[in-house]
Amino acid sequence: MGKVLTIVHGGDKYKFTVDDGATVGDVMELIEKEVKVEKGNQKLIIKGKQLKDESATLTSLKIKSKAKITLIGNKEDPVDTSCKKAFAETEQSYKQQGILLNTCQEEWDGIEKGFLDKVLIPEAVKKLKKNVLKANEMNVRLLVKLDSLPITEDMRQMRASRKVHISAIEKQLSAGDDLLLKIEALETMK
């Protein structure tokens, strides 16, 4: 059958129907999805008491259909949300570039140690150089993207993470440049 809840947030009212076995956490997730207030920013209050235990069912808390729950919390800022998404995508991409550069370094080490037939070295070096250049170019793009993110003063954790990511990307660029120098030195010897 379900319970009909009225969520009051500021001057707005939202009506939701939830299952009889729904938990406070289920309601919070619904609010996050529909009202756009992140779960971590929500305080739910009913009859002067805060609903803290997310695993508690509405039935166990004696919350009946047509209950009014007051929501305290700020809605997500679309700019913050898009910034967080872009930041996460950038983080994933720089990690992929790190994997590519590690693979390139391993291939280079194999060539240096003579694990590859001399006839195959020119083609392998050409491919290796192409991959290192690709990783370096992508890392430069990532630096530009990180620099252009509208991270505000109140986004302290993201600002600190951005610094860490920029440092890691710069290290990757340096490693890529070092590898390119070794590859170019080998190319000029031939």
Side-chain angles (χ1 to χ4, degrees):
M1 184 169 136
K3 297 180 193 277
V4 177
L5 303 176
T6 301
I7 308 297
V8 180
H9 183 243
D12 299 324
K13 291 182 181 181
Y14 304 89
K15 287 199 184 282
F16 298 114
T17 302
V18 296
D19 294 332
D20 287 327
T23 64
V24 172
D26 295 334
V27 173
M28 293 176 91
E29 287 175 13
L30 186 61
I31 290 170
E32 183 172 27
K33 181 180 174 191
E34 299 296 328
V35 184
K36 307 294 186 220
V37 175
E38 288 184 11
K39 197 172 175 181
N41 292 336
Q42 296 178 23
K43 280 188 184 178
L44 300 179
I45 300 172
I46 186 166
K47 297 181 182 177
K49 293 183 182 178
Q50 184 176 347
L51 303 176
K52 293 182 180 180
D53 183 3
E54 291 184 31
S55 64
T57 64
L58 300 180
T59 303
S60 71
L61 296 170
K62 297 182 174 39
I63 296 174
K64 298 181 179 176
S65 191
K66 299 184 182 175
K68 279 189 183 178
I69 299 175
T70 302
L71 166 64
I72 299 174
N74 293 327
K75 288 188 176 191
E76 295 176 9
D77 182 348
V79 173
D80 289 355
T81 303
S82 66
C83 185
K84 288 175 186 174
K85 182 180 176 189
F87 189 79
E89 290 168 355
T90 302
E91 180 179 26
Q92 182 64 31
S93 186
Y94 100 77
K95 288 178 180 179
Q96 290 172 343
Q97 300 317 308
I99 291 169
L100 176 60
L101 280 172
N102 285 339
T103 302
C104 290
Q105 184 61 55
E106 289 170 3
E107 289 176 16
W108 174 256
D109 292 344
I111 291 171
E112 273 191 324
K113 292 176 183 174
F115 294 153
L116 190 62
D117 189 309
K118 291 186 190 270
V119 176
L120 300 174
I121 290 176
E123 188 61 35
V125 168
K126 182 178 175 183
K127 181 181 171 190
L128 190 59
K129 183 176 182 180
K130 180 180 175 185
N131 285 336
V132 173
L133 287 170
K134 177 182 167 187
N136 276 2
E137 180 181 338
M138 189 61 190
N139 277 327
V140 169
R141 287 182 184 179
L142 292 173
L143 283 175
V144 170
K145 187 174 182 177
L146 278 173
D147 189 48
S148 68
L149 290 177
I151 298 176
T152 59
E153 286 295 323
D154 60 332
M155 300 169 91
R156 288 184 183 96
Q157 183 178 0
M158 193 176 293
R159 289 172 64 85
S161 293
R162 177 171 65 177
K163 286 180 183 180
V164 170
H165 292 341
I166 286 172
S167 177
I169 292 170
E170 287 172 341
K171 286 178 184 175
Q172 286 182 7
L173 280 168
S174 179
D177 288 344
D178 291 345
L179 192 51
L180 280 174
L181 288 172
K182 292 175 186 177
I183 290 169
E184 289 167 358
L186 180 67
E187 287 177 331
T188 58
M189 289 174 46
K190 295 184 177 203

